[in-house]
């Protein structure tokens, strides 16, 4: 492929930017370094990966089911990504014995890991050039953070085919912990010649393990690295030859002759081939020879059948000028296994949108794929988002269109994903699918069919999987005395179940009746989530401890003996409160309420934790931010109730607070990370934990939930003076 050249090896303007930080599983600490090997693969030591995952340093097992968080550094920003092991060469002893190396071993072989980035870097992220390590080279290494002041200057003192020993200068930084995996940058060659692997430390006291007093006979600032020549040999032996050389086209590929004919037909002039070939090379990260000659059609066709995204990139360039050529080229490409559906630009945009999705939505991608493509083979075993997308790109489409142009399977999945995404990302994903089908020439009507299918699926999912709901109107008529009216809603609307709404009950008696209804509803549909108890109260009942109603001693219910289990309402079933009095007090905020409810999946949270804030400050903050769907109120009781009631009057659908008296609520801190859709269950679980461990789970959370999609039962509200 003489006219096209691989542009993924470049001298770095700032070699420090070659350093990739390998992070701990939590993503908070740097455990070592790495360096880009290709545009989407990085190289590090296997023991660095083990350290990141909290495993033994020389654990030989391939961690192919684990994500390794990494950070790529650029001049103006740092980009985080997850990575997965693509090639694994565990450390082994030099003497050929099968034992795992020990800490006292000074040298070992292997100890290499190639990680594949889950998010493909942008076009301007280029790996460095690599050269052979040799004695006398002046090198530079960096700490895993990649910070500019952490560079350590060293020189190669000895080097064989397996190990290169490097000594540090007497001034400046010395190579130490978290330098493992760092590129060894040859200052004179402007290239990487290996990676840091280990240190040779001064002797330690055999009893205490502490360093012995310094002696001029001790080794100082000696480290060792893995030379490039061994890296390449080990990775080739491990099946990684594709990391070093561009693949050759299959001479028997059925698409080759067709593409030759189409390129000759649509690009007969050399000027046209130069223009289109340069554009494709730029999109795919290739360079071209700096001359005015055009690539031959054989060279161009070879690129289209070796670089997976080149054909899609060419169709992007041609779609406005030669639309008929696009459909013919893509049809020819479908006869080969090499071309991928998306161009590099389309793939990067899609990965960016998926990264921006809430984790709870992104985690549903396998479920969405099964729903969108029920007859397609699924990816077996554990897989990442990128693995699943790679699989989906290879699937054909399906459509009821008669013109033969079908919506690709990946685009159908993205339409299904869009209907459960937050509104802003839903629009972005849909615009993305429209642009891809436009490039491919797929009729827009076919895509609209799939969009309709997705909306019907989402509607059916909500109706089928949403938990049943029990609504209970609770009116206080004295000290621990209440009137109770109960409705059930299995998805078809509320129906009243309680007979006598005028009977007065204690809290325990009310809990007993509610638990009977909830348990019966749960037994009738065991495949659904536990029913949610929605308690309808007036503004004075927002802090009633209804979730604590029940019996803890187990012996008070229905005459059962002491072996019976306790029953506590809010610990057994999700319980939320709703205040129709406040919700409907100012109906001018109902449009805001419905708007916020539609954005529920965005989980946008507003927190009020300043006790000096009052109704005016809260009013202004909610008017300024009409997209917040969830408000947390973490202030003392004297100002808490005013803030809570203001939020409910202004149509905030989800409000959470602690009815206890502590200044900073443990419950709100713990529940702040729970996605809004899982909050009723998260609050229930917290209440259950507070029964078993009240010292550590000291909060008393209250969750107000105003569902704009459900009808509220017709209430019999008492006049205020009746409760006086």
């Amino acid at each position: 492929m003489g006219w096209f050249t691989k542009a993924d090896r470049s001298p770095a303007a700032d070699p420090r930017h070659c350093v990739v930080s390998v992070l701990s599983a939590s993503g908070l600490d740097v455990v070592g370094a790495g360096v880009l090997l290709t545009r989407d693969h990085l190289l590090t030591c296997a023991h660095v990966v083990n350290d990141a995952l909290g495993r033994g340093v020389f654990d030989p097992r391939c961690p192919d089911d684990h994500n390794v968080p990494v950070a790529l550094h650029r001049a103006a920003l740092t980009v985080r990504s997850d990575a997965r092991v693509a090639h694994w060469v565990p450390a082994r002893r030099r003497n050929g014995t099968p034992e795992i190396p020990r800490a006292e071993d000074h040298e070992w072989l292997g100890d290499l890991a190639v990680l594949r980035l889950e998010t493909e870097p942008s076009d301007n992220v280029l790996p460095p050039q690599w050269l052979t390590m040799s004695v006398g080279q002046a090198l530079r290494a960096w700490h895993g953070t990649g910070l500019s002041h952490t560079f350590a200057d060293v020189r190669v003192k000895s080097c064989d085919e397996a190990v290169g020993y490097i000594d540090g200068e007497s001034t400046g930084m010395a190579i130490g912990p978290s330098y493992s995996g760092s590129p060894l940058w040859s200052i004179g060659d402007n290239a990487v010649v290996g990676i840091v692997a280990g240190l040779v430390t001064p002797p330690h006291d055999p009893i205490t393990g502490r360093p012995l007093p310094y002696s001029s006979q001790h080794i100082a600032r000696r480290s060792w690295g893995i030379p490039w020549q061994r890296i390449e040999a080990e990775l080739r032996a491990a099946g990684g030859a594709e990391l070093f050389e561009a693949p050759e086209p299959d001479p028997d590929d059925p698409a080759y002759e067709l593409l030759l004919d189409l390129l000759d037909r649509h690009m007969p002039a050399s000027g046209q081939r130069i223009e289109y070939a340069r554009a494709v090379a730029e999109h795919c990260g290739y360079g071209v020879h700096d001359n005015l000659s055009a690539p031959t059609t054989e060279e161009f066709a070879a690129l289209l059948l070796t670089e997976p995204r080149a054909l899609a990139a060419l169709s992007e360039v041609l779609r406005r000028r030669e639309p008929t050529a696009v459909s013919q080229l893509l049809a020819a490409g479908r006869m080969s296994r090499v071309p991928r559906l998306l161009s590099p630009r389309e793939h990067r945009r899609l990965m960016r949108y998926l990264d921006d999705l809430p984790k709870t939505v992104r985690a549903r991608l396998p479920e969405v794929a099964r729903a969108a493509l029920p007859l397609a083979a699924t990816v077996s075993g554990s897989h990442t988002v990128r693995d699943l997308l790679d699989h989906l790109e290879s699937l054909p489409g399906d459509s009821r269109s008669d013109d033969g142009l079908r919506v690709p399977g990946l685009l159908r999945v993205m339409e299904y994903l869009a209907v459960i995404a937050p509104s802003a990302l839903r629009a972005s994903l849909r615009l993305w699918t429209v642009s891809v089908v436009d490039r491919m020439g797929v009729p827009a009507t076919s895509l609209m069919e799939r969009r309709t299918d997705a909306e019907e699926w989402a509607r059916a999912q909500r109706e089928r999987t949403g938990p049943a709901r029990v609504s209970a109107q609770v009116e206080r008529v004295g000290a621990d005395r209440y009137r109770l009216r109960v409705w059930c809603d299995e998805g078809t609307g509320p129906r009243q179940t309680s007979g006598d709404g005028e009977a007065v009950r204690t809290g325990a008696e009310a809990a007993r009746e509610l638990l009977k209804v909830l348990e019966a509803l749960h037994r009738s549909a065991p495949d659904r989530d536990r029913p949610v108890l929605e308690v309808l109260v007036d503004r004075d009942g927002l802090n009633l401890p209804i979730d604590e109603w029940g019996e803890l001693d187990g012996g008070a219910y229905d005459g059962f003996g002491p072996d019976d289990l306790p029953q506590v309402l809010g610990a057994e079933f999700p319980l939320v409160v709703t205040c129709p009095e406040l919700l409907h007090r100012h109906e001018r905020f109902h449009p805001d309420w419905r708007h916020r409810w539609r954005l529920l999946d965005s989980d946008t949270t507003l927190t009020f934790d300043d006790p000096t804030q009052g109704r005016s400050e809260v009013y202004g903050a909610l008017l300024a931010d009409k997209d917040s769907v969830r408000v947390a109120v973490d202030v003392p009781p004297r100002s808490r109730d005013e803030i809570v009631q203001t939020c409910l009057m202004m149509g905030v659908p989800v409000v959470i607070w602690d009815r206890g008296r502590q200044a900073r609520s443990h419950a709100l801190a713990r529940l702040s990370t729970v996605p809004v859709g899982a909050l009723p269950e998260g609050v229930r679980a917290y209440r259950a934990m507070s029964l078993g461990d009240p010292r550590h789970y000291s909060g008393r959370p209250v969750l107000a939930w105003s569902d704009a999609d459900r009808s509220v039962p017709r209430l019999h509200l008492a006049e205020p003076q009746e409760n006086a």
Side-chain angles (χ1 to χ4, degrees):
M1 201 180 299
W3 197 82
F4 298 95
T5 61
K6 268 289 187 181
D8 60 355
R9 296 280 182 258
S10 172
D14 184 349
R16 177 175 56 91
H17 295 150
C18 295
V19 180
V20 178
S21 298
V22 181
L23 310 176
S24 62
S26 67
L28 300 176
D29 302 313
V30 173
V31 299
V35 56
L36 281 180
L37 192 59
T38 72
R39 297 176 66 86
D40 57 357
H41 291 85
L42 67 92
L43 172 71
T44 186
C45 294
H47 78 259
V48 171
V49 175
N50 282 331
D51 192 11
L53 298 176
R55 311 195 318 167
V57 174
F58 293 124
D59 192 327
R61 298 169 299 160
C62 179
D64 50 5
D65 292 337
H66 294 81
N67 281 334
V68 180
V70 299
L72 287 78
H73 305 288
R74 294 294 163 260
L77 76 164
T78 293
V79 179
R80 293 203 173 200
S81 176
D82 283 334
R84 302 265 288 203
V85 172
H87 298 283
W88 180 256
V89 185
R92 63 187 187 277
R93 305 187 77 176
R94 289 201 69 171
N95 60 10
T97 59
E99 289 89 354
I100 297 172
R102 297 171 296 180
E104 56 266 29
D105 287 339
H106 293 295
E107 299 176 358
W108 50 85
L109 300 178
D111 198 14
L112 297 171
V114 176
L115 308 180
R116 183 191 183 196
L117 296 171
E118 288 298 290
T119 303
E120 195 171 310
S122 59
D123 281 339
N124 60 353
V125 178
L126 295 177
Q129 293 179 332
W130 292 79
L131 292 176
T132 300
M133 182 185 289
S134 59
V135 174
Q137 287 172 326
L139 308 180
R140 178 165 287 184
W142 288 266
H143 185 269
T145 58
L147 295 174
S148 57
H149 72 276
T150 64
F151 70 89
D153 285 335
V154 295
R155 188 172 294 275
V156 181
K157 294 296 185 178
S158 72
C159 181
D160 58 20
E161 294 303 309
V163 173
Y165 279 100
I166 48 182
D167 286 359
E169 295 183 355
S170 59
T171 60
M173 296 289 288
I175 289 177
S178 298
Y179 278 75
S180 290
S182 170
L184 288 166
W185 180 268
S186 174
I187 298 172
D189 298 314
N190 205 28
V192 177
V193 298
I195 59 175
V196 176
L199 305 174
V200 182
T201 58
H204 291 66
D205 187 289
I207 298 176
T208 66
R210 296 177 179 175
L212 293 173
Y214 178 72
S215 166
S216 60
Q217 298 296 315
H218 289 171
I219 292 174
R221 296 197 170 193
R222 174 159 292 174
S223 308
W224 66 274
I226 306 174
W228 170 244
Q229 48 267 42
R230 171 154 78 91
I231 292 171
E232 183 175 5
E234 296 247 31
L235 292 181
R236 284 183 181 275
E242 79 281 357
L243 298 169
F244 308 104
E245 55 197 29
E248 291 293 326
D250 181 357
D252 298 323
D253 194 317
Y256 183 69
E257 293 297 332
L258 288 173
L259 288 174
L260 281 179
D261 179 65
L262 290 171
L263 292 174
D264 274 330
R265 188 189 315 169
H266 293 286
M267 304 176 195
S270 60
Q272 286 180 302
R273 286 203 304 279
I274 290 175
E275 179 185 357
Y276 294 140
R278 284 187 181 276
V280 171
E282 181 180 352
H283 287 318
C284 296
Y286 282 75
V288 299
H289 284 306
D290 189 16
N291 54 47
L292 299 179
S293 65
T296 64
T297 52
E298 289 80 7
E299 287 175 318
F300 208 164
L303 176 73
L304 300 179
L305 294 178
T306 54
E307 176 57 45
R309 302 198 185 280
L311 186 58
L314 177 60
S315 69
E316 277 188 321
V317 178
L318 286 172
R319 65 174 178 166
R320 297 304 179 198
R321 300 183 185 181
E322 298 280 348
T324 57
V326 169
S327 59
Q328 293 170 352
L329 286 165
L330 293 179
R334 284 192 285 271
M335 300 183 66
S336 172
R337 295 183 178 182
V338 175
R340 308 299 292 270
L341 174 71
L342 304 179
S343 69
R345 182 183 62 86
E346 291 167 342
H347 187 263
R348 284 193 298 274
R349 283 179 59 198
L350 177 59
M351 294 303 295
R352 186 170 67 251
Y353 295 149
L354 295 180
D355 285 341
D356 290 340
L357 284 172
K359 289 184 179 179
T360 52
V361 176
R362 192 165 60 245
R364 295 182 63 185
L365 184 56
E367 169 200 347
V368 169
R370 289 190 295 270
L373 303 169
L375 302 180
T378 57
V379 179
S380 59
S382 63
H383 50 267
T384 66
V385 169
R386 184 162 177 176
D387 292 333
L388 182 55
L389 292 182
D390 287 348
H391 174 67
L392 293 174
E393 274 197 87
S394 67
L395 298 179
D398 59 347
S399 174
R400 293 189 287 270
S401 175
D402 296 328
D403 58 11
L405 292 172
R406 304 186 297 178
V407 178
L410 174 63
L411 302 190
R412 179 170 183 172
V413 172
M414 290 304 109
E415 284 290 336
Y416 275 60
L417 186 64
V419 295
I420 64 171
S423 58
L425 283 170
R426 179 183 307 131
S428 296
L429 283 169
R430 285 177 167 176
L431 288 172
W432 178 86
T433 57
V434 168
S435 68
V436 177
V437 298
D438 180 57
R439 170 181 63 81
M440 299 178 65
V442 176
T445 53
S446 297
L447 181 64
M448 291 305 106
E449 289 177 357
R450 297 299 160 244
R451 186 167 295 176
T452 301
D453 293 343
E455 290 169 346
E456 291 175 354
W457 167 78
R459 187 161 47 249
Q461 284 289 104
R462 287 193 296 269
E463 294 172 355
R464 182 172 63 254
T465 62
R469 182 166 299 231
V470 173
S471 299
Q473 181 190 0
V474 175
E475 292 182 60
R476 182 160 48 183
V477 294
D480 195 33
R481 291 293 184 271
Y482 308 91
R483 291 193 183 98
L484 184 69
R485 291 182 177 86
V486 183
W487 296 261
C488 284
D489 186 356
E490 294 94 337
T492 58
R495 56 181 178 82
Q496 189 162 355
T497 62
S498 60
D500 186 4
E502 298 301 320
V504 177
R505 301 170 175 83
T506 65
E509 290 168 343
R512 186 181 309 173
E513 181 171 341
L514 290 170
L515 283 165
K516 287 180 181 178
V517 175
L518 289 161
E519 290 165 359
L521 201 59
H522 188 37
R523 285 196 301 271
S524 68
D527 57 328
R528 298 174 70 171
D529 292 337
R530 283 176 172 263
V532 174
L533 174 59
E534 176 188 49
V535 182
L536 308 169
V537 295
D538 60 18
R539 69 196 310 167
D540 295 327
L542 285 169
N543 290 305
L544 283 174
I546 299 172
D547 53 281
E548 299 175 7
W549 286 356
E551 298 290 343
L552 282 174
D553 60 13
Y557 267 142
D558 299 326
F560 288 136
D563 291 335
D564 192 21
L565 291 173
Q567 289 183 294
V568 178
L569 198 56
E572 294 209 15
F573 292 92
L575 184 153
V576 301
V577 299
T578 300
C579 184
E581 174 191 351
L582 295 174
L583 184 63
H584 299 295
R585 188 175 186 87
H586 298 285
E587 294 193 357
R588 71 181 189 272
F589 290 108
H590 281 194
D592 292 345
W593 172 37
R594 287 187 284 270
H595 170 74
R596 294 179 194 271
W597 182 258
R598 286 195 298 270
L599 300 180
L600 197 69
D601 286 337
S602 69
D603 204 6
T604 306
T605 302
L606 191 62
T607 300
F608 294 113
D609 56 6
D610 184 353
T612 65
Q613 289 177 305
R615 178 160 295 167
S616 296
E617 290 82 3
V618 174
Y619 169 80
L622 292 177
L623 286 179
D625 184 357
K626 292 192 176 183
D627 290 343
S628 290
V629 301
R630 166 181 178 177
V631 167
V633 182
D634 195 4
V635 296
R638 57 185 173 82
S639 53
R640 178 194 63 206
D641 293 345
E642 183 179 55
I643 295 177
V644 167
Q645 292 182 21
T646 302
C647 292
L648 296 176
M649 285 189 286
M650 294 184 67
V652 178
V654 180
V655 184
I656 186 169
W657 69 95
D658 193 320
R659 65 170 173 267
R661 295 190 173 277
Q662 58 266 45
R664 287 290 178 261
S665 168
H666 175 268
L668 296 188
R670 286 293 297 260
L671 294 168
S672 63
T673 59
V674 176
V676 68
L679 207 49
E681 174 60 22
V683 172
R684 184 208 64 79
Y686 185 93
R687 291 166 176 156
M689 292 297 295
S690 68
L691 295 176
D693 190 2
R695 190 165 69 90
H696 292 103
Y697 290 82
S698 57
R700 302 175 71 192
V702 183
L703 178 62
W705 190 275
S706 304
D707 189 335
D709 291 336
R710 300 180 74 98
S711 58
V712 176
R714 184 177 297 276
L715 304 181
H716 302 274
L717 297 175
E719 292 298 325
Q721 60 268 24
E722 293 180 12
N723 292 333

